[in-house]
């Protein structure tokens, strides 16, 4: 696994020799490559430390890793907390996707596992990135979940000391969609569920198509389902004033003020009136917002990273070879945009039981300026 070393030179030679793949106004760089493990989401600290989650627990024994400047990839914070929990203990991570750095705390969202005995509830875990000491664990209770809950991305609102989690739910795959926000008060641990099945969380009623193939799942009885993917990407601005969100299978970005979300005296009827349309977007699994209000978006259907503003959407980077299901995204203080490319669409669940994955999988970056 090579980090940065020779990446720019090798990629430049590749693109010049293969112009069909070089469809970008920015220079892509390979940060890390993986022959079997699939990187899920990514978080870059203020000082440039790179953390990733591994999205497939059947392949990755340890769920969270740090990519060091010298190219080494190590488990973080250790091999106990990032392995699956042992029976009758919550210490560990069952499955994870979402990851964020807030100041010196690395937050990881454990999706949980209903198949274990006893079951493992979802939880939000924080570690100090400097000491590797456990900062806090917030277990998410059944009262704010749904039987089909599938917790995805989240944001940390430092101003109001809250976590806002996108519960995508397994809509379109197993159960009817019931997407919602789950909000955790980081001061008290109190959590509650809001906006269940709000229209802004819903996907368009159309297939998600990559390289001409719709994502679809074949059940044992031969029935084929083409899922519609609701709420997933979520981001917060640098001033902690707005939370932006949208459906993976949708083409609109909405926002709501953090002040409104933090006010527990406001019920859903009042809160829903405070949701605003912000901009168009492609079908996307993740996005991040910069200080100018520009939202950088993973464009899963077009093997691209784009930018959404109230004026419209445009592609910044497109590469049919390196970018295959761009997933998590993070903006570094070095003006680089970092993202993962993990070929999710080629896994059997999304491809009628066939595994058409072609490693390696990547962590990539490009200079935004």
């Amino acid at each position: 696994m090579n980090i940065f070393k020779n990446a720019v030179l090798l990629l430049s030679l590749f693109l010049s020799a293969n112009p069909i793949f070089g469809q970008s106004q920015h220079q892509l760089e390979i940060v890390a490559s993986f022959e079997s493990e699939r990187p899920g989401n990514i978080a870059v600290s203020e000082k440039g430390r790179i953390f990733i989650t591994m999205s497939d627990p059947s392949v990755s024994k340890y769920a969270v890793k740090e990519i060091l400047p010298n190219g080494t990839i190590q488990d973080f914070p250790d091999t106990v907390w990032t392995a699956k929990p042992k029976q009758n203990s919550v210490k560990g991570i069952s499955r994870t996707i979402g990851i964020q750095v807030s100041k010196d705390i690395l937050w990881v969202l454990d999706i949980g596992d209903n198949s274990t005995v006893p079951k493992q509830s979802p939880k939000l875990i924080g570690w100090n990135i400097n000491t590797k000491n456990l900062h806090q664990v917030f277990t998410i209770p059944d009262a704010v979940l749904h039987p089909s809950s599938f917790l995805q991305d989240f944001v940390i609102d430092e101003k109001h000391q809250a976590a806002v989690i996108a519960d995508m739910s397994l809509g379109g795959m197993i159960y009817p969609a019931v997407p919602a926000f789950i909000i955790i008060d980081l001061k008290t641990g109190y959590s509650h569920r809001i906006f269940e099945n709000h229209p802004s969380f819903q996907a368009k009623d159309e297939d998600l198509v990559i390289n001409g193939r719709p994502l679809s799942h074949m059940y044992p009885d031969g029935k084929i389902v083409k899922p519609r993917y609701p709420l997933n990407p979520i981001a917060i601005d640098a001033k902690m004033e707005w939370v932006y969100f949208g459906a993976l299978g949708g083409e609109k970005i909405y926002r709501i003020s953090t002040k409104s979300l933090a006010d527990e005296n406001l019920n859903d009827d009042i809160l829903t009136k405070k949701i605003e349309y912000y901009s168009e977007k492609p079908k996307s699994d993740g996005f991040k917002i910069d200080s100018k209000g520009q939202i950088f978006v993973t464009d899963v259907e077009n093997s691209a990273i784009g930018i959404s503003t109230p004026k419209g959407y445009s592609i910044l980077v497109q590469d049919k070879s390196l970018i295959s299901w761009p997933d998590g995204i993070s903006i570094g203080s070095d003006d680089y945009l970092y993202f993962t490319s993990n070929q999710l669409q080629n896994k059997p669940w999304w491809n009628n039981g066939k595994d058409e994955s072609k490693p390696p999988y990547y962590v990539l970056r490009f200079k935004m300026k």
Side-chain angles (χ1 to χ4, degrees):
M1 302 176 187
N2 294 325
I3 313 300
F4 308 138
K5 186 178 180 181
N6 297 326
V8 178
L9 176 60
L10 291 173
L11 193 56
S12 297
L13 291 172
F14 175 80
L15 294 177
S16 62
N18 299 273
I20 188 172
F21 295 118
Q23 304 171 26
S24 169
Q25 57 179 298
H26 295 269
Q27 180 69 63
L28 273 176
E29 301 176 26
I30 299 173
V31 177
S33 62
F34 302 82
E35 291 302 323
S36 58
E37 296 181 292
R38 296 178 194 255
N41 277 8
I42 184 167
V44 181
S45 75
E46 292 179 356
K47 294 184 179 179
R49 293 175 65 180
I50 304 170
F51 302 91
I52 55 175
T53 54
M54 311 311 292
S55 66
D56 188 345
S58 67
V59 177
S60 300
K61 184 177 180 180
Y62 305 111
V64 184
K65 300 181 186 294
E66 180 179 3
I67 304 173
L68 302 181
N70 65 3
T72 303
I73 297 179
Q74 67 178 19
D75 303 301
F76 186 93
D78 54 45
T79 56
V80 176
W81 259 112
T82 57
K84 288 189 176 183
K86 295 181 179 180
Q87 190 175 22
N88 298 318
S89 173
V90 298
K91 190 173 187 178
I93 296 175
S94 299
R95 297 174 297 158
T96 184
I97 300 174
I99 185 171
Q100 298 288 338
V101 177
S102 174
K103 298 188 183 300
D104 289 331
I105 305 299
L106 179 69
W107 293 100
V108 174
L109 180 61
D110 182 354
I111 297 171
D113 190 346
N114 289 334
S115 68
T116 60
V117 179
K119 76 172 185 178
Q120 287 287 338
S121 297
K123 57 185 180 286
L124 183 66
I125 314 164
W127 297 280
N128 185 293
I129 61 174
N130 299 315
T131 65
K132 295 188 178 182
N133 291 335
L134 181 67
H135 172 71
Q136 187 63 274
V137 178
F138 296 100
T139 300
I140 302 172
D142 287 348
V144 302
L145 299 170
H146 187 276
S148 67
S149 282
F150 185 30
L151 308 186
Q152 289 282 311
D153 293 348
F154 66 96
V155 296
I156 300 295
D157 176 4
E158 296 171 0
K159 180 185 290 186
H160 300 98
Q161 281 297 289
V164 184
I165 300 170
D167 183 356
M168 179 180 179
S169 82
L170 293 171
M173 292 184 279
I174 298 177
Y175 302 93
V178 283
F181 278 165
I182 294 173
I183 300 179
I184 302 175
D185 186 324
L186 299 180
K187 302 183 295 295
T188 65
Y190 167 74
S191 58
H192 62 289
R193 184 181 185 88
I194 62 171
F195 295 157
E196 186 169 281
N197 268 334
H198 190 270
S200 64
F201 292 171
Q202 305 300 333
K204 293 184 69 175
D205 187 17
E206 61 183 33
D207 297 344
L208 198 159
V209 181
I210 299 177
N211 296 327
R213 173 171 59 82
L215 268 66
S216 56
H217 175 70
M218 180 182 292
Y219 287 90
D221 62 1
K223 179 183 178 180
I224 293 178
V225 174
K226 297 177 182 177
R228 306 305 191 233
Y229 299 98
L231 174 69
N232 188 324
I234 185 171
I236 191 169
D237 68 305
K239 294 181 178 180
M240 308 288 166
E241 293 178 345
W242 296 94
V243 170
Y244 297 78
F245 59 92
L248 191 162
E251 295 180 348
K252 296 182 185 297
I253 297 174
Y254 298 88
R255 71 178 186 176
I256 186 170
S257 71
T258 56
K259 181 179 179 181
S260 297
L261 289 177
D263 190 344
E264 294 177 8
N265 295 316
L266 301 181
N267 59 33
D268 271 17
D269 290 339
I270 297 174
L271 279 173
T272 54
K273 296 176 182 177
K274 297 182 179 294
I275 293 175
E276 302 177 2
Y277 165 77
Y278 186 72
S279 68
E280 296 295 310
K281 75 170 185 67
K283 295 181 178 67
S284 56
D285 203 355
F287 53 54
K288 284 289 183 294
I289 185 166
D290 69 3
S291 58
K292 299 177 182 178
Q294 303 175 123
I295 299 182
F296 294 85
V297 181
T298 64
D299 186 340
V300 296
E301 287 190 313
N302 294 302
S303 300
I305 302 294
I307 187 167
S308 289
T309 73
K311 295 181 179 179
Y313 171 75
S314 60
I315 287 177
L316 290 177
V317 176
Q318 186 175 38
D319 190 304
K320 296 290 185 180
S321 175
L322 292 174
I323 304 176
S324 182
W325 195 278
D327 198 329
I329 191 168
S330 187
I331 297 174
S333 58
D334 54 2
D335 291 325
Y336 274 92
L337 185 144
Y338 295 77
F339 65 99
T340 58
S341 172
N342 57 27
Q343 298 184 41
L344 185 67
Q345 80 281 3
N346 291 328
K347 293 185 69 175
W349 179 269
W350 290 272
N351 190 27
N352 293 333
K354 301 176 183 177
D355 189 350
E356 296 184 352
S357 304
K358 297 178 180 179
Y361 315 106
Y362 297 110
V363 172
L364 303 166
R365 73 173 189 171
F366 65 88
K367 196 79 169 180
M368 295 188 296
K369 297 181 179 180

